[in-house]
């Protein structure tokens, strides 16, 4: 009777596990899309905030009454500031995502090690004639191994996102160089 109940419980657990696994790709895809969209919105917001912050700092600086104003330098600084601020924000975002990816990989490795240890324990229990604890431990080991694999895949996706953002940084640096050149040409033409 106990074995039949255990077998029934195992079947229910396997059925529930299958239902959860069927939902995981959809949930992971939606979570990834939402995180990516949120990250993009955050980058745009940070760029705007950086430009506003820079403008406020420049206003404070000018309020101090600098004796001589270098118009050319001021125009170039103003033209390039949003790009430099965006580069700094993007670099911070890349560092944050890389840290998250590293943490996820570390957690995945820990979980995989724990799953192996639990599987070894289950094998030992099975050999000792403890079928029910062995079956329970083996089920937990499989679940933990699957969770570790999901965590590892998440780390890969986050790392790819960080690489994607990192690859955009040279474009901002190039835009900053172009803004300096344009501002210098504009100031030269004015004088």
């Amino acid at each position: 009777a106990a074995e039949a109940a255990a077998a029934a419980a195992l079947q229910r657990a396997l059925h529930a596990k299958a239902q959860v696994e069927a939902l995981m790709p959809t949930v992971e895809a939606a979570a990834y899309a939402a995180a990516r969209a949120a990250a993009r919105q955050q980058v745009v917001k940070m760029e705007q905030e950086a430009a506003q912050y820079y403008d406020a700092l420049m206003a404070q600086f000018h309020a101090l009454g600098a004796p001589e104003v270098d118009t050319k330098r001021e125009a170039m600084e103003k033209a390039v500031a949003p790009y430099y601020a965006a580069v700094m924000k993007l670099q911070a975002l890349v560092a944050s995502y890389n840290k998250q990816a590293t943490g996820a990989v570390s957690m995945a490795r820990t979980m995989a090690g724990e799953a192996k240890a639990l599987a070894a324990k289950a094998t030992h229990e099975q050999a000792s004639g403890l079928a029910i604890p062995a079956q329970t431990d083996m089920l937990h080991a499989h679940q933990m191994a699957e969770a570790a694999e999901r965590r590892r895949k998440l780390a890969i996706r986050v790392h790819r996102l960080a690489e994607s953002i990192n690859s955009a940084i040279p474009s901002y640096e190039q835009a900053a160089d172009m803004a300096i050149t344009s501002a210098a040409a504009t100031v030269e033409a004015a004088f």
Side-chain angles (χ1 to χ4, degrees), residues 36 40 86-87 90-91 93-95 97-98 158-175:
R36 184 177 181 111
R40 285 181 189 255
V87 167
L90 289 174
Q91 288 173 339
L93 196 58
V94 167
Y97 282 154
N98 278 332
V158 170
H159 182 70
R160 285 183 185 151
L161 177 59
E163 286 177 341
S164 173
I165 293 170
N166 195 42
S167 69
I169 291 174
S171 300
Y172 282 91
E173 291 169 339
Q174 183 180 13

Side-chain angles (χ1 to χ4, degrees), residues 10-22:
L10 175 63
Q11 289 304 316
R12 286 191 305 272
L14 290 174
H15 179 69
K17 176 185 168 197
Q19 289 176 331
V20 168
E21 288 176 348

Side-chain angles (χ1 to χ4, degrees), residues 4-156:
L10 175 63
Q11 289 304 316
R12 286 191 305 272
L14 290 174
H15 179 69
K17 176 185 168 197
Q19 289 176 331
V20 168
E21 288 176 348
L23 290 174
M24 284 307 295
T26 305
V27 171
E28 286 179 353
Y32 178 74
R36 184 177 181 111
R40 285 181 189 255
Q41 288 177 340
Q42 185 67 19
V43 167
V44 170
K45 181 181 174 187
M46 288 188 300
E47 288 176 24
Q48 292 170 348
E49 290 173 351
Q52 291 171 354
Y53 180 69
Y54 179 78
D55 290 342
L57 288 178
M58 288 302 291
Q60 289 175 358
F61 175 76
H62 292 297
L64 295 175
E68 284 187 40
V69 177
D70 184 353
T71 311
K72 182 177 180 179
R73 180 179 184 93
E74 184 178 297
M76 290 188 320
E77 287 175 353
K78 188 172 184 176
V80 78
Y83 299 102
Y84 284 149
V87 167
M88 296 300 288
K89 296 286 184 176
L90 289 174
Q91 288 173 339
L93 196 58
V94 167
S96 172
Y97 282 154
N98 278 332
K99 184 177 179 182
Q100 289 176 17
T102 301
V105 165
S106 177
M107 177 63 79
R109 286 181 181 154
T110 300
M111 291 170 73
E114 290 173 5
K116 286 179 184 178
L118 197 54
K121 178 183 174 189
T123 303
H124 184 268
E125 289 171 341
Q126 182 71 31
S128 298
L130 302 170
I132 293 174
Q135 194 173 34
T136 303
D137 286 344
M138 189 57 77
L139 179 62
H140 285 107
H142 283 290
Q143 290 170 344
M144 192 174 294
E146 290 167 1
E149 181 60 18
R150 285 191 304 272
R151 181 69 61 145
R152 185 189 68 80
K153 288 178 180 177
L154 173 66
I156 290 170

